[in-house]
C-alpha cells in the first residue's frame, strides 16, 4: 500500500474525492471500503489500474510514459519541459490522471505514480530499463563493472554504487556520448541508432558480440548495449535518450486528430433506422423459427459451416451477412444453443419467453447481445469472413473496439458523417490507444456494417438508437453474461427503441391478384402472419407477399382454421373476394385424407380391465380406441393420459421405449404460457435490475466524516482474547486476521446462525464486518461467536 496515496487522499475535499470515486467505481464496489487506507489498497490494485488505463485516451497515457522516462518524481514543469510544451497544456490531462488515482501530487509538488503503472509499461516511449538496472544486475559482477569503467576511461576504484554513478553520468550526457561514439568502428552509429529509435530490444547475431572490432562488441564493452540472451540485446534508457539528442521531446498529442465530416440528411438517417429496426426483429425471428424446424449443425472444429449459412439465408430470405450476424447475436443472447440430442443449434426456452415480450424489448435484447459480443461477424481477414460462432483469439478486444468505434462516432455532430474510414480509425486510436491498431483497422469496416444492419448507423453517421447504445460502453457486460439489465432496461435506449419501431407498418394492402403489399417496414407480428400464409416475393421500402393454394395449405397444416385465418388477415387489411375464395376452397379440400398420430399406447395384461377403461365415461376425452385385447390407443400424449387415468382411480405407471418404468421430475417453478400451435413455454420472470451503483458523493462524505479509531495492532488480539471467550486460541487468531488483514471466514453464532464475513473492525465488543449473505456490513457480538473456520 502506498503511504503517499493515503496522505494525498486525506487532503481531498468531498467533491474532489467524489470525482476520484466516480472514475474508479471498482474502488467502491461491495464490500465498499470504510477507511482511506482500504480505499488506497483498492485504488492501487494492479489489474484495476490496467483496466482504468485501457479506458483512457492518448494524452494521459503519454504523460504516464513521460513520468516513467524522467524517473523519480518529476514536477509539472519538468514534465512539460520533457514534452516540449507549456505547463498549462499538461495540467488538464494531469488532472485526468489525478481523478483516476493513477497519479497524484505530493506536498512538495512532485508527481507520484501508482506502482502498478510501471509494471504494465516496461518500455515507455520505446525506451528500455534504466542503466543502473543493467550495471547492478546479477549478470554483471564487480569485475565486469570495473572493466566497463576502465574502457570508458573512468576510475574503477570504489564500491559498486560509485562505479554505477560514474558510468551513468557519462553515458547519459549527450555531449560526452557523442565524443565517445566518434572513436567507434564503422557501422556503430547505425547499430546504435537502430536501438535508440526502434528498440530498446532487438534481435542480434550473438557471434558479433564476441568478435573484436565489431560495432556490437565495441558497444557492449562500454555499456551501450547489454546482451540478455544469445541473440537478443537491449539498450539502457539513458543511453537511448542521449543518442536521441537534447532536442528530443517525448510524444504528447493533447488534441484529437482531425476527423473530416460531410453533411448528411438527418431525416434520411432516422428513416434508415426506422426501416432497419423492424427488419432486425423480422429476420431474427425467421432465423430462429428456421432453426426450430431444422437444427443447425456445427462443424467438427466448431462453428457453423458456410454451406449451412447459405442454406439458412436462402430459406429465411436473409442475406448471408444478416444470417451471420443474427446467428451470432442470438447465440450470445441465449436464444439458440447447442442441443446434442437434436444434432445442432436449436431455440432455447428463452426464445419462447423472448417472443412474448413487446417489440422494443426484443430489439434491446438483440442490441445488448451485439454490444457485448466478443467477435465481429462481418470482419474480413484475408478477404474472408470468420467461421460463424467460431473461436476468435482476439475475444474481448473486439468488444472493446466496437465500443471505441461507436464512441468515436458520438463525437460527430447530428446531421454529419465521417468522411473517410482512415481518419475515423485514427480518431478511435487517439481515444483508445492501447487497442491493437492493426486489429482496429481490420475490424472497423465490419463493425460499421453490423451497426448499419442493426439500425445503429446509417450513411456513415450514428442514428439516435446508436447514440443511446454508444453511451453504455461502461456497462456493456461480457459475452458470458446471460443478460445485462443496465443495457436492456436503460431508459434512454428504451425510449429510442420505441421510436425506432414506431413507424413499423401493422396493416397491408391486399390485391385481387392474390398479393399483399406493405408500404414500409412491416411490424414483426404482421410479417410473421403473412409469412405463415403467403410467400414473400420482395422486401425493402415496400414488401410483397403472394398467396397460393400451397401457402394457404401450409398455414392450415400448422393448425390455423379458415375462419380464424380470415379474421386475422381482416384485422390488418380489407380482403378481396379472390383471396377469400382461395382460402375457403383450400380449407374445404383440406383434410379429405387423414393420417392419425397416436398420442400414446396403454398396455395391460387384463383384457377386461382395458375394456372397462375404454368404456369409462370420464375418460372419453382421451379418445381411447381398442386396437387389440391388450392394447389401447389414446389420442392424448402420455402425460395427460397418465394424469386422467390416475384421476379416474387407476394406478398406471409410465414406461420408456425399453419397457422400463420411467421416473419423471416435475418442474420446480415457472409460469406456463400457451403459444401458437399448442406449444407451451415456461416464461422466466423478468430479471430484476441490479441495484444502482453506490453514489460517489455519499461514499466520499462517509469516508471524510468517518473518524478512524486508533490503530489496534496489538490491541486486536487482546480484545478478541478477552471478549471472544467461546473460541479456542487458533480460532481467535483467525478472527484476528479477519480484522487486521480482511480475510474471509465463516463464523457461527451461539444460536446456530452462520455468516461469511470479511473486512472486519472491532467496536465496543462487537465485530463489525461485511456479511456476504446480507450484502452489507453487520455487527456480531464477540461473546456470541461460537466458531470460526477458514472460507475458501
Amino acid at each position: 500500500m502506498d503511504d503517499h496515496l493515503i496522505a494525498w487522499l486525506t487532503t481531498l475535499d468531498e467533491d474532489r474525492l467524489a470525482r476520484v470515486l466516480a472514475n474508479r467505481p471498482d474502488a467502491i464496489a461491495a464490500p465498499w471500503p470504510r477507511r482511506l487506507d482500504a480505499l488506497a489498497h483498492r485504488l492501487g490494485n494492479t489489474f484495476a489500474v490496467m483496466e482504468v488505463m485501457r479506458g483512457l485516451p492518448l494524452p494521459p497515457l503519454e504523460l504516464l510514459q513521460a513520468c516513467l522516462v524522467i524517473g523519480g518524481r518529476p514536477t509539472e514543469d519538468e514534465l512539460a519541459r520533457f514534452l516540449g510544451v507549456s505547463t498549462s497544456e499538461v495540467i488538464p490531462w494531469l488532472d485526468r490522471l489525478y481523478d483516476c488515482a493513477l497519479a497524484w501530487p505530493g506536498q512538495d509538488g512532485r508527481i507520484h505514480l501508482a506502482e502498478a503503472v510501471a509494471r504494465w509499461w516496461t518500455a515507455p516511449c520505446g525506451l528500455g530499463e534504466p542503466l543502473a538496472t543493467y550495471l547492478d544486475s546479477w549478470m554483471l559482477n564487480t569485475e565486469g563493472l570495473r572493466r566497463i569503467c576502465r574502457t570508458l576511461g573512468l576510475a574503477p576504484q570504489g564500491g559498486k554504487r560509485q562505479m554505477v554513478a560514474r558510468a551513468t553520468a557519462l553515458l547519459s550526457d549527450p555531449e560526452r556520448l557523442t565524443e565517445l561514439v566518434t572513436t567507434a568502428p564503422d557501422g556503430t552509429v547505425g547499430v546504435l541508432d537502430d536501438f535508440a529509435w526502434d528498440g530498446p530490444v532487438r534481435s542480434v547475431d550473438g557471434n558479433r558480440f564476441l568478435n573484436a572490432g565489431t560495432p556490437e562488441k565495441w558497444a557492449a564493452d562500454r555499456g551501450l548495449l547489454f546482451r540478455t540472451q544469445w541473440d537478443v540485446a537491449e539498450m539502457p534508457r539513458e543511453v537511448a535518450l542521449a543518442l536521441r539528442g537534447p532536442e528530443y521531446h517525448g510524444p504528447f498529442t493533447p488534441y484529437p486528430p482531425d476527423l473530416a465530416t460531410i453533411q448528411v440528411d438527418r431525416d434520411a438517417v432516422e428513416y434508415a433506422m426506422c426501416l432497419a429496426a423492424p427488419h432486425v426483429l423480422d429476420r431474427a425471428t425467421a432465423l430462429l423459427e428456421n432453426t426450430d424446424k431444422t437444427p443447425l449443425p456445427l462443424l467438427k472444429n466448431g462453428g457453423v459451416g458456410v454451406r449451412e449459412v447459405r442454406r439458412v439465408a436462402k430459406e429465411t430470405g436473409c442475406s448471408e451477412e444478416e444470417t451471420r450476424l443474427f446467428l451470432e447475436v442470438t447465440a450470445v443472447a441465449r436464444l439458440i444453443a447447442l442441443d446434442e440430442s437434436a444434432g445442432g443449434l436449436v431455440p432455447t426456452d428463452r426464445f419462447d419467453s423472448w417472443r412474448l415480450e413487446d417489440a422494443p424489448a426484443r430489439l434491446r435484447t438483440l442490441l445488448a447481445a451485439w454490444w457485448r459480443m466478443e467477435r465481429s461477424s462481418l470482419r474480413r481477414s484475408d478477404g474472408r469472413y470468420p467461421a460463424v460462432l467460431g473461436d476468435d483469439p482476439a475475444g474481448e478486444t473486439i468488444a472493446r473496439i466496437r465500443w471505441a468505434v461507436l464512441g468515436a462516432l458520438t463525437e460527430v455532430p447530428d446531421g454529419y458523417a465521417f468522411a473517410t474510414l482512415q481518419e475515423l480509425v485514427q480518431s478511435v486510436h487517439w481515444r483508445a490507444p492501447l487497442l491493437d491498431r492493426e486489429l482496429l483497422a481490420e475490424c472497423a469496416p465490419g463493425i460499421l456494417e453490423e451497426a448499419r444492419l442493426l439500425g445503429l448507423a446509417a450513411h456513415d453517421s450514428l442514428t439516435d438508437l446508436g447514440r443511446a447504445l454508444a453511451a453504455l460502453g461502461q456497462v456493456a457486460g461480457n459475452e458470458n453474461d446471460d443478460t445485462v439489465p443496465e443495457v436492456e432496461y436503460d431508459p434512454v435506449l428504451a425510449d429510442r427503441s420505441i421510436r425506432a419501431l414506431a413507424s413499423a407498418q401493422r396493416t397491408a394492402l391486399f390485391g385481387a391478384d392474390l398479393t399483399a403489399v406493405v408500404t414500409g417496414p412491416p411490424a414483426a407480428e404482421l410479417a410473421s402472419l403473412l409469412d405463415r400464409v403467403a410467400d414473400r416475393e420482395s422486401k425493402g421500402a415496400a414488401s410483397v407477399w403472394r398467396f397460393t393454394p400451397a401457402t394457404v395449405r401450409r398455414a392450415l397444416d400448422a393448425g390455423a382454421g379458415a375462419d380464424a385465418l380470415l379474421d386475422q388477415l381482416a384485422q390488418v387489411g380489407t380482403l378481396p373476394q379472390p383471396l377469400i375464395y382461395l382460402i375457403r376452397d383450400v380449407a374445404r379440400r383440406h383434410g379429405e385424407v387423414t393420417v392419425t398420430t397416436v398420442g400414446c399406447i396403454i398396455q395391460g395384461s387384463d383384457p377386461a380391465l382395458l375394456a372397462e377403461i375404454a368404456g369409462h365415461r370420464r375418460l372419453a376425452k382421451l379418445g381411447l380406441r381398442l386396437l387389440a385385447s391388450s392394447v389401447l390407443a389414446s389420442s392424448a400424449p402420455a402425460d395427460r393420459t397418465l394424469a386422467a387415468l390416475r384421476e379416474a382411480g387407476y394406478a398406471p405407471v409410465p414406461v420408456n421405449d425399453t419397457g422400463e418404468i420411467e421416473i419423471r421430475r416435475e418442474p420446480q417453478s415457472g409460469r406456463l404460457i400457451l403459444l401458437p400451435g399448442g406449444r407451451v413455454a415456461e416464461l422466466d420472470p423478468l430479471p430484476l435490475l441490479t441495484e444502482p451503483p453506490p453514489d460517489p458523493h455519499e461514499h466520499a462524505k462517509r469516508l471524510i466524516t468517518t473518524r478512524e479509531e486508533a490503530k489496534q495492532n496489538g490491541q486486536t488480539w487482546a480484545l478478541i482474547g478477552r471478549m471472544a471467550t467461546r473460541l479456542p486460541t487458533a480460532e481467535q487468531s483467525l478472527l484476528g486476521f479477519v480484522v487486521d488483514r480482511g480475510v474471509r471466514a465463516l463464523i457461527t453464532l451461539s444460536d446456530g446462525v452462520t455468516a461469511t464475513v470479511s473486512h472486519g473492525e472491532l467496536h465496543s465488543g462487537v465485530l463489525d464486518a461485511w456479511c456476504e449473505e446480507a450484502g452489507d456490513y453487520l455487527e456480531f457480538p464477540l461473546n456470541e461467536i461460537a466458531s470460526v473456520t477458514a472460507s475458501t
Side-chain angles (χ1 to χ4, degrees), residues 412-433:
V412 179
D414 277 346
Y416 289 85
F418 67 89
T420 66
L421 181 61
Q422 182 180 0
E423 288 186 347
L424 177 64
V425 170
Q426 292 174 348
S427 180
V428 173
H429 175 70
W430 186 87
R431 287 167 174 79

PDB file of all heavy atoms in Angstrom, residues 412-433:
ATOM      1  N   VAL A 412     -19.158  12.931 -33.714  1.00  0.00           N
ATOM      2  CA  VAL A 412     -19.617  13.536 -34.967  1.00  0.00           C
ATOM      3  C   VAL A 412     -20.993  14.155 -34.723  1.00  0.00           C
ATOM      4  O   VAL A 412     -21.909  13.469 -34.270  1.00  0.00           O
ATOM      5  CB  VAL A 412     -19.690  12.482 -36.089  1.00  0.00           C
ATOM      6  CG1 VAL A 412     -20.202  13.108 -37.384  1.00  0.00           C
ATOM      7  CG2 VAL A 412     -18.320  11.852 -36.308  1.00  0.00           C
ATOM      8  N   PRO A 413     -21.173  15.435 -34.988  1.00  0.00           N
ATOM      9  CA  PRO A 413     -22.456  16.089 -34.688  1.00  0.00           C
ATOM     10  C   PRO A 413     -23.600  15.478 -35.498  1.00  0.00           C
ATOM     11  O   PRO A 413     -23.407  14.881 -36.562  1.00  0.00           O
ATOM     12  CB  PRO A 413     -22.215  17.556 -35.082  1.00  0.00           C
ATOM     13  CG  PRO A 413     -20.729  17.711 -35.179  1.00  0.00           C
ATOM     14  CD  PRO A 413     -20.192  16.370 -35.561  1.00  0.00           C
ATOM     15  N   ASP A 414     -24.821  15.668 -34.977  1.00  0.00           N
ATOM     16  CA  ASP A 414     -26.008  15.245 -35.709  1.00  0.00           C
ATOM     17  C   ASP A 414     -26.045  15.954 -37.060  1.00  0.00           C
ATOM     18  O   ASP A 414     -25.733  17.156 -37.172  1.00  0.00           O
ATOM     19  CB  ASP A 414     -27.272  15.595 -34.918  1.00  0.00           C
ATOM     20  CG  ASP A 414     -27.583  14.543 -33.874  1.00  0.00           C
ATOM     21  OD1 ASP A 414     -26.998  13.452 -33.949  1.00  0.00           O
ATOM     22  OD2 ASP A 414     -28.402  14.817 -32.969  1.00  0.00           O
ATOM     23  N   GLY A 415     -26.449  15.215 -38.067  1.00  0.00           N
ATOM     24  CA  GLY A 415     -26.530  15.793 -39.402  1.00  0.00           C
ATOM     25  C   GLY A 415     -25.233  15.739 -40.170  1.00  0.00           C
ATOM     26  O   GLY A 415     -25.147  16.281 -41.272  1.00  0.00           O
ATOM     27  N   TYR A 416     -24.223  15.079 -39.581  1.00  0.00           N
ATOM     28  CA  TYR A 416     -22.932  14.945 -40.261  1.00  0.00           C
ATOM     29  C   TYR A 416     -22.471  13.498 -40.188  1.00  0.00           C
ATOM     30  O   TYR A 416     -22.909  12.733 -39.318  1.00  0.00           O
ATOM     31  CB  TYR A 416     -21.880  15.857 -39.636  1.00  0.00           C
ATOM     32  CG  TYR A 416     -22.110  17.325 -39.918  1.00  0.00           C
ATOM     33  CD1 TYR A 416     -22.963  18.074 -39.115  1.00  0.00           C
ATOM     34  CD2 TYR A 416     -21.495  17.955 -41.001  1.00  0.00           C
ATOM     35  CE1 TYR A 416     -23.198  19.420 -39.370  1.00  0.00           C
ATOM     36  CE2 TYR A 416     -21.716  19.290 -41.265  1.00  0.00           C
ATOM     37  CZ  TYR A 416     -22.567  20.020 -40.442  1.00  0.00           C
ATOM     38  OH  TYR A 416     -22.799  21.343 -40.712  1.00  0.00           O
ATOM     39  N   ALA A 417     -21.554  13.133 -41.102  1.00  0.00           N
ATOM     40  CA  ALA A 417     -20.981  11.790 -41.144  1.00  0.00           C
ATOM     41  C   ALA A 417     -19.481  11.920 -41.321  1.00  0.00           C
ATOM     42  O   ALA A 417     -18.983  12.951 -41.797  1.00  0.00           O
ATOM     43  CB  ALA A 417     -21.579  10.984 -42.289  1.00  0.00           C
ATOM     44  N   PHE A 418     -18.748  10.882 -40.910  1.00  0.00           N
ATOM     45  CA  PHE A 418     -17.301  10.913 -41.106  1.00  0.00           C
ATOM     46  C   PHE A 418     -16.994  10.779 -42.595  1.00  0.00           C
ATOM     47  O   PHE A 418     -17.704  10.099 -43.341  1.00  0.00           O
ATOM     48  CB  PHE A 418     -16.605   9.827 -40.288  1.00  0.00           C
ATOM     49  CG  PHE A 418     -16.898   8.418 -40.725  1.00  0.00           C
ATOM     50  CD1 PHE A 418     -16.126   7.783 -41.696  1.00  0.00           C
ATOM     51  CD2 PHE A 418     -17.954   7.706 -40.158  1.00  0.00           C
ATOM     52  CE1 PHE A 418     -16.393   6.489 -42.097  1.00  0.00           C
ATOM     53  CE2 PHE A 418     -18.225   6.403 -40.544  1.00  0.00           C
ATOM     54  CZ  PHE A 418     -17.440   5.791 -41.522  1.00  0.00           C
ATOM     55  N   ALA A 419     -15.910  11.448 -43.006  1.00  0.00           N
ATOM     56  CA  ALA A 419     -15.598  11.500 -44.437  1.00  0.00           C
ATOM     57  C   ALA A 419     -14.838  10.277 -44.910  1.00  0.00           C
ATOM     58  O   ALA A 419     -15.129   9.740 -45.983  1.00  0.00           O
ATOM     59  CB  ALA A 419     -14.796  12.770 -44.749  1.00  0.00           C
ATOM     60  N   THR A 420     -13.836   9.841 -44.126  1.00  0.00           N
ATOM     61  CA  THR A 420     -13.029   8.695 -44.544  1.00  0.00           C
ATOM     62  C   THR A 420     -12.861   7.730 -43.389  1.00  0.00           C
ATOM     63  O   THR A 420     -12.765   8.144 -42.224  1.00  0.00           O
ATOM     64  CB  THR A 420     -11.638   9.140 -45.045  1.00  0.00           C
ATOM     65  OG1 THR A 420     -10.896   9.691 -43.950  1.00  0.00           O
ATOM     66  CG2 THR A 420     -11.757  10.167 -46.153  1.00  0.00           C
ATOM     67  N   LEU A 421     -12.781   6.458 -43.715  1.00  0.00           N
ATOM     68  CA  LEU A 421     -12.601   5.434 -42.693  1.00  0.00           C
ATOM     69  C   LEU A 421     -11.225   5.564 -42.037  1.00  0.00           C
ATOM     70  O   LEU A 421     -11.083   5.336 -40.830  1.00  0.00           O
ATOM     71  CB  LEU A 421     -12.764   4.048 -43.316  1.00  0.00           C
ATOM     72  CG  LEU A 421     -12.617   2.861 -42.369  1.00  0.00           C
ATOM     73  CD1 LEU A 421     -13.664   2.904 -41.272  1.00  0.00           C
ATOM     74  CD2 LEU A 421     -12.709   1.544 -43.135  1.00  0.00           C
ATOM     75  N   GLN A 422     -10.215   5.938 -42.803  1.00  0.00           N
ATOM     76  CA  GLN A 422      -8.875   6.065 -42.254  1.00  0.00           C
ATOM     77  C   GLN A 422      -8.829   7.102 -41.132  1.00  0.00           C
ATOM     78  O   GLN A 422      -8.228   6.876 -40.081  1.00  0.00           O
ATOM     79  CB  GLN A 422      -7.891   6.450 -43.355  1.00  0.00           C
ATOM     80  CG  GLN A 422      -6.443   6.561 -42.876  1.00  0.00           C
ATOM     81  CD  GLN A 422      -5.492   6.948 -43.992  1.00  0.00           C
ATOM     82  OE1 GLN A 422      -5.910   7.139 -45.128  1.00  0.00           O
ATOM     83  NE2 GLN A 422      -4.215   7.066 -43.673  1.00  0.00           N
ATOM     84  N   GLU A 423      -9.471   8.241 -41.334  1.00  0.00           N
ATOM     85  CA  GLU A 423      -9.499   9.266 -40.296  1.00  0.00           C
ATOM     86  C   GLU A 423     -10.292   8.799 -39.080  1.00  0.00           C
ATOM     87  O   GLU A 423      -9.939   9.124 -37.944  1.00  0.00           O
ATOM     88  CB  GLU A 423     -10.086  10.563 -40.851  1.00  0.00           C
ATOM     89  CG  GLU A 423      -9.167  11.286 -41.824  1.00  0.00           C
ATOM     90  CD  GLU A 423      -9.721  12.637 -42.233  1.00  0.00           C
ATOM     91  OE1 GLU A 423     -10.915  12.887 -41.954  1.00  0.00           O
ATOM     92  OE2 GLU A 423      -8.983  13.440 -42.814  1.00  0.00           O
ATOM     93  N   LEU A 424     -11.348   8.036 -39.304  1.00  0.00           N
ATOM     94  CA  LEU A 424     -12.113   7.507 -38.181  1.00  0.00           C
ATOM     95  C   LEU A 424     -11.252   6.563 -37.349  1.00  0.00           C
ATOM     96  O   LEU A 424     -11.270   6.622 -36.105  1.00  0.00           O
ATOM     97  CB  LEU A 424     -13.361   6.783 -38.683  1.00  0.00           C
ATOM     98  CG  LEU A 424     -14.211   6.108 -37.593  1.00  0.00           C
ATOM     99  CD1 LEU A 424     -14.783   7.151 -36.645  1.00  0.00           C
ATOM    100  CD2 LEU A 424     -15.328   5.276 -38.203  1.00  0.00           C
ATOM    101  N   VAL A 425     -10.480   5.701 -37.999  1.00  0.00           N
ATOM    102  CA  VAL A 425      -9.605   4.777 -37.277  1.00  0.00           C
ATOM    103  C   VAL A 425      -8.566   5.553 -36.464  1.00  0.00           C
ATOM    104  O   VAL A 425      -8.275   5.215 -35.318  1.00  0.00           O
ATOM    105  CB  VAL A 425      -8.928   3.800 -38.257  1.00  0.00           C
ATOM    106  CG1 VAL A 425      -7.832   3.007 -37.558  1.00  0.00           C
ATOM    107  CG2 VAL A 425      -9.963   2.854 -38.860  1.00  0.00           C
ATOM    108  N   GLN A 426      -8.013   6.618 -37.042  1.00  0.00           N
ATOM    109  CA  GLN A 426      -7.057   7.437 -36.305  1.00  0.00           C
ATOM    110  C   GLN A 426      -7.708   8.079 -35.091  1.00  0.00           C
ATOM    111  O   GLN A 426      -7.098   8.165 -34.014  1.00  0.00           O
ATOM    112  CB  GLN A 426      -6.482   8.514 -37.234  1.00  0.00           C
ATOM    113  CG  GLN A 426      -5.587   7.967 -38.342  1.00  0.00           C
ATOM    114  CD  GLN A 426      -5.169   9.046 -39.325  1.00  0.00           C
ATOM    115  OE1 GLN A 426      -5.699  10.152 -39.317  1.00  0.00           O
ATOM    116  NE2 GLN A 426      -4.217   8.714 -40.192  1.00  0.00           N
ATOM    117  N   SER A 427      -8.940   8.525 -35.246  1.00  0.00           N
ATOM    118  CA  SER A 427      -9.660   9.129 -34.123  1.00  0.00           C
ATOM    119  C   SER A 427      -9.934   8.111 -33.029  1.00  0.00           C
ATOM    120  O   SER A 427      -9.793   8.402 -31.844  1.00  0.00           O
ATOM    121  CB  SER A 427     -10.982   9.730 -34.628  1.00  0.00           C
ATOM    122  OG  SER A 427     -11.698  10.323 -33.573  1.00  0.00           O
ATOM    123  N   VAL A 428     -10.293   6.897 -33.424  1.00  0.00           N
ATOM    124  CA  VAL A 428     -10.526   5.834 -32.440  1.00  0.00           C
ATOM    125  C   VAL A 428      -9.226   5.504 -31.712  1.00  0.00           C
ATOM    126  O   VAL A 428      -9.218   5.304 -30.490  1.00  0.00           O
ATOM    127  CB  VAL A 428     -11.108   4.579 -33.122  1.00  0.00           C
ATOM    128  CG1 VAL A 428     -11.197   3.424 -32.136  1.00  0.00           C
ATOM    129  CG2 VAL A 428     -12.484   4.869 -33.701  1.00  0.00           C
ATOM    130  N   HIS A 429      -8.126   5.453 -32.448  1.00  0.00           N
ATOM    131  CA  HIS A 429      -6.842   5.136 -31.826  1.00  0.00           C
ATOM    132  C   HIS A 429      -6.458   6.194 -30.799  1.00  0.00           C
ATOM    133  O   HIS A 429      -5.898   5.876 -29.749  1.00  0.00           O
ATOM    134  CB  HIS A 429      -5.756   5.027 -32.891  1.00  0.00           C
ATOM    135  CG  HIS A 429      -4.381   4.811 -32.335  1.00  0.00           C
ATOM    136  ND1 HIS A 429      -4.004   3.632 -31.743  1.00  0.00           N
ATOM    137  CD2 HIS A 429      -3.300   5.636 -32.253  1.00  0.00           C
ATOM    138  CE1 HIS A 429      -2.751   3.727 -31.322  1.00  0.00           C
ATOM    139  NE2 HIS A 429      -2.305   4.935 -31.620  1.00  0.00           N
ATOM    140  N   TRP A 430      -6.744   7.450 -31.060  1.00  0.00           N
ATOM    141  CA  TRP A 430      -6.445   8.504 -30.087  1.00  0.00           C
ATOM    142  C   TRP A 430      -7.262   8.308 -28.813  1.00  0.00           C
ATOM    143  O   TRP A 430      -6.775   8.566 -27.714  1.00  0.00           O
ATOM    144  CB  TRP A 430      -6.742   9.865 -30.712  1.00  0.00           C
ATOM    145  CG  TRP A 430      -6.329  11.036 -29.852  1.00  0.00           C
ATOM    146  CD1 TRP A 430      -5.112  11.642 -29.811  1.00  0.00           C
ATOM    147  CD2 TRP A 430      -7.152  11.742 -28.918  1.00  0.00           C
ATOM    148  NE1 TRP A 430      -5.114  12.677 -28.906  1.00  0.00           N
ATOM    149  CE2 TRP A 430      -6.362  12.756 -28.335  1.00  0.00           C
ATOM    150  CE3 TRP A 430      -8.476  11.602 -28.502  1.00  0.00           C
ATOM    151  CZ2 TRP A 430      -6.854  13.645 -27.374  1.00  0.00           C
ATOM    152  CZ3 TRP A 430      -8.968  12.482 -27.544  1.00  0.00           C
ATOM    153  CH2 TRP A 430      -8.161  13.484 -26.991  1.00  0.00           C
ATOM    154  N   ARG A 431      -8.494   7.863 -28.964  1.00  0.00           N
ATOM    155  CA  ARG A 431      -9.358   7.689 -27.799  1.00  0.00           C
ATOM    156  C   ARG A 431      -9.100   6.376 -27.061  1.00  0.00           C
ATOM    157  O   ARG A 431      -9.404   6.266 -25.877  1.00  0.00           O
ATOM    158  CB  ARG A 431     -10.828   7.752 -28.234  1.00  0.00           C
ATOM    159  CG  ARG A 431     -11.267   9.151 -28.582  1.00  0.00           C
ATOM    160  CD  ARG A 431     -12.605   9.186 -29.297  1.00  0.00           C
ATOM    161  NE  ARG A 431     -13.056  10.568 -29.480  1.00  0.00           N
ATOM    162  CZ  ARG A 431     -12.620  11.390 -30.419  1.00  0.00           C
ATOM    163  NH1 ARG A 431     -11.724  10.955 -31.283  1.00  0.00           N
ATOM    164  NH2 ARG A 431     -13.056  12.631 -30.506  1.00  0.00           N
ATOM    165  N   ALA A 432      -8.571   5.376 -27.748  1.00  0.00           N
ATOM    166  CA  ALA A 432      -8.281   4.081 -27.117  1.00  0.00           C
ATOM    167  C   ALA A 432      -6.951   3.569 -27.646  1.00  0.00           C
ATOM    168  O   ALA A 432      -6.903   2.601 -28.409  1.00  0.00           O
ATOM    169  CB  ALA A 432      -9.409   3.085 -27.399  1.00  0.00           C
ATOM    170  N   PRO A 433      -5.844   4.197 -27.242  1.00  0.00           N
ATOM    171  CA  PRO A 433      -4.544   3.868 -27.858  1.00  0.00           C
ATOM    172  C   PRO A 433      -4.006   2.495 -27.497  1.00  0.00           C
ATOM    173  O   PRO A 433      -3.102   2.006 -28.171  1.00  0.00           O
ATOM    174  CB  PRO A 433      -3.620   4.974 -27.320  1.00  0.00           C
ATOM    175  CG  PRO A 433      -4.274   5.437 -26.066  1.00  0.00           C
ATOM    176  CD  PRO A 433      -5.739   5.299 -26.296  1.00  0.00           C
TER     177      PRO A 433
END
